[in-house]
Amino acid sequence: MRRLSWPVGAGLALGLALALEALPALLRWLQGGRRRRRRREVLFFPSQVTCTEALLQAPGTAPPAAPAGPAAGCPCSLPHCESSLSRLLQALLEARVTLELCLFAFSSPQLGRAVQLLHQRGVRVRVITDCDYMALNGSQIGLLRRAGIQVRHDQDLGYMHHKFAIVDKKLLITGSLNWTTQAIQNNRENVLIMEDEEYVKLFLEEFERIWDEFNPTKYTFFPQKRSQ
């Protein structure tokens, strides 16, 4: 085997040293590129009314054969295409471990079914809501409670007006949208879906703060009269 000359060997050694020195910077650059590709999505409402049955199948239930109407196995006559609502459902249904919901009003049947479906899949779901709006006709909160999902609410001391969800403690869903059919189909609304550790952390801290504040053991619906 032919030996390398001293200048060639020295050049290779120097090149290797420079490459190793530059490696951390290269890794940081690559990681930075991955951070820039984190999910960012904006949804605008009102949403087109579309069929969402394929997204909302219970465990063990076969989905419709094809998204093309009754002949394909789906009895729904609505358009089978993507919409702002379907994209919101898709983001929500990505949950595998936890889902935190902090919602002023929640009456959308589709979103309610999605939350119950996640609960059936074993996702730990917690819900914070407003005491006035949870009592209105059509609210999903009673159904969620009967399904075994944890729900906490305020004591009528101002509105609990937040509208956000946290999926697996890494995906934030927030915006102006109330989770109601009226808002989804008729209102001009926006929803931001984003993966950002800093913002998720802040919203999660706010959720935990309110969750503790709304602990039923702290309710004072019948405060004692002050002694004279």
Side-chain angles (χ1 to χ4, degrees):
M1 177 182 243
R2 185 177 179 182
R3 292 184 177 180
L4 295 174
S5 64
W6 181 87
V8 173
L12 289 174
L14 178 61
L16 179 60
L18 291 173
L20 291 174
E21 185 177 348
L23 183 59
L26 176 62
L27 291 175
R28 285 195 298 271
W29 181 82
L30 291 173
Q31 290 171 354
R34 283 197 293 272
R35 282 195 295 270
R36 286 191 295 274
R37 290 193 295 271
R38 284 178 181 173
R39 184 170 179 177
R40 298 286 190 276
E41 186 175 1
V42 177
L43 307 179
F44 292 109
F45 293 80
S47 174
Q48 178 185 3
V49 179
T50 60
C51 179
T52 56
E53 287 303 308
L55 296 171
L56 298 172
Q57 296 301 311
T61 303
C74 178
C76 178
S77 61
L78 294 173
H80 292 77
C81 59
E82 192 172 66
S83 64
S84 291
L85 175 58
S86 70
R87 288 162 66 188
L88 176 57
L89 285 167
Q90 288 168 16
L92 195 65
L93 291 167
E94 289 178 12
R96 294 295 179 268
V97 181
T98 60
L99 175 66
E100 281 81 31
L101 299 177
C102 200
L103 301 169
F104 174 57
F106 189 175
S107 62
S108 164
Q110 294 95 331
L111 289 168
R113 285 177 60 191
V115 173
Q116 290 197 53
L117 180 58
L118 290 171
H119 175 67
Q120 293 170 23
R121 291 175 178 172
V123 174
R124 185 197 180 199
V125 180
R126 294 184 293 166
V127 181
I128 293 173
T129 192
D130 182 81
C131 66
D132 291 333
Y133 276 73
M134 66 181 280
L136 296 181
N137 290 335
S139 173
Q140 293 290 304
I141 298 301
L143 296 175
L144 299 184
R145 273 185 159 157
R146 285 194 287 276
I149 294 172
Q150 300 179 78
V151 177
R152 291 185 181 181
H153 58 80
D154 60 336
Q155 298 185 66
D156 199 23
L157 301 174
Y159 287 130
M160 200 307 297
H161 210 241
H162 281 312
K163 307 167 187 71
F164 68 84
I166 304 170
V167 176
D168 287 342
K169 303 190 188 306
K170 65 181 182 180
L171 184 68
L172 174 64
I173 303 172
T174 188
S176 68
L177 183 75
N178 282 314
W179 286 22
T180 67
T181 301
Q182 162 68 28
I184 291 168
Q185 296 184 2
N186 298 291
N187 293 356
R188 302 290 178 182
E189 308 277 3
N190 67 82
V191 168
L192 174 65
I193 302 172
M194 62 188 302
E195 289 180 284
D196 187 296
E197 293 177 6
E198 180 179 354
Y199 286 104
V200 168
K201 179 177 180 292
L202 292 172
F203 275 83
L204 190 57
E205 288 174 352
E206 173 69 357
F207 182 92
E208 296 294 354
R209 185 189 67 78
I210 300 175
W211 185 258
D212 179 68
E213 180 184 342
F214 291 177
N215 189 322
T217 63
K218 299 180 180 180
Y219 288 168
T220 55
F221 290 113
F222 305 102
Q224 295 180 354
K225 294 183 179 180
R226 295 182 180 179
S227 59
Q228 299 296 328

